[in-house]
């Protein structure tokens, strides 16, 4: 069972990140022959990578646009900032442009 120090540590770690990778969900991680690179292609900041069966996000390069989280078919990238609700509200505005 996690203690309060563990919970605080996780919360502080997530505070600086817009997207958290869940590598076990990633098709390209689970199958090295998979051609899925939707998140990599969608990222305008080139902050997403898959190397040696590890899905990673360069949090310093990430612009927190949420594009990678929206296109991932397995939800291997979990949005922390902006939240799904904020993205959902922004979509009609973006489409109107």
């Amino acid at each position: 069972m996690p203690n309060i120090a563990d919970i605080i540590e996780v919360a502080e770690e997530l505070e600086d990140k817009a997207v958290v990778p869940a590598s076990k969900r990633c098709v390209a991680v689970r199958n090295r022959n998979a051609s899925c690179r939707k998140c990599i292609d969608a990222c305008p900041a080139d902050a997403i990578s898959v190397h040696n069966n590890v899905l990673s996000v360069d949090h310093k390069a990430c612009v927190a646009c949420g594009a990678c989280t929206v296109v991932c078919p397995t939800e291997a990238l979990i949005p922390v900032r902006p939240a799904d609700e904020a993205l959902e509200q922004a979509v009609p505005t973006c489409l109107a442009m």
Side-chain angles (χ1 to χ4, degrees), residues 2-73:
N3 62 30
I4 192 72
D6 294 335
I7 294 169
I8 291 172
E9 181 181 336
V10 169
E12 287 174 349
E13 185 174 321
L14 292 176
E15 195 172 293
D16 295 336
K17 298 177 181 175
V19 176
V20 176
S23 289
K24 291 181 181 179
R25 296 180 184 176
C26 180
V27 171
V29 168
R30 292 189 330 231
N31 180 353
R32 65 178 177 203
N33 297 317
S35 61
C36 182
R37 297 290 187 269
K38 291 181 180 185
C39 60
I40 295 170
D41 294 339
C43 181
D46 293 326
I48 311 291
S49 64
V50 177
H51 294 292
N52 298 325
N53 288 346
V54 175
L55 172 65
S56 60
V57 177
D58 179 351
H59 298 288
K60 291 180 182 175
C62 180
V63 295
C65 68
C68 60
T69 65
V70 175
V71 298
C72 181

Side-chain angles (χ1 to χ4, degrees), residues 18-19 25 64-72 75 77-92:
V19 176
R25 296 180 184 176
C65 68
C68 60
T69 65
V70 175
V71 298
C72 181
E75 298 180 358
L77 294 160
I78 303 164
V80 178
R81 266 190 12 242
D84 282 341
E85 294 80 19
L87 288 173
E88 185 178 350
Q89 292 173 353
V91 168

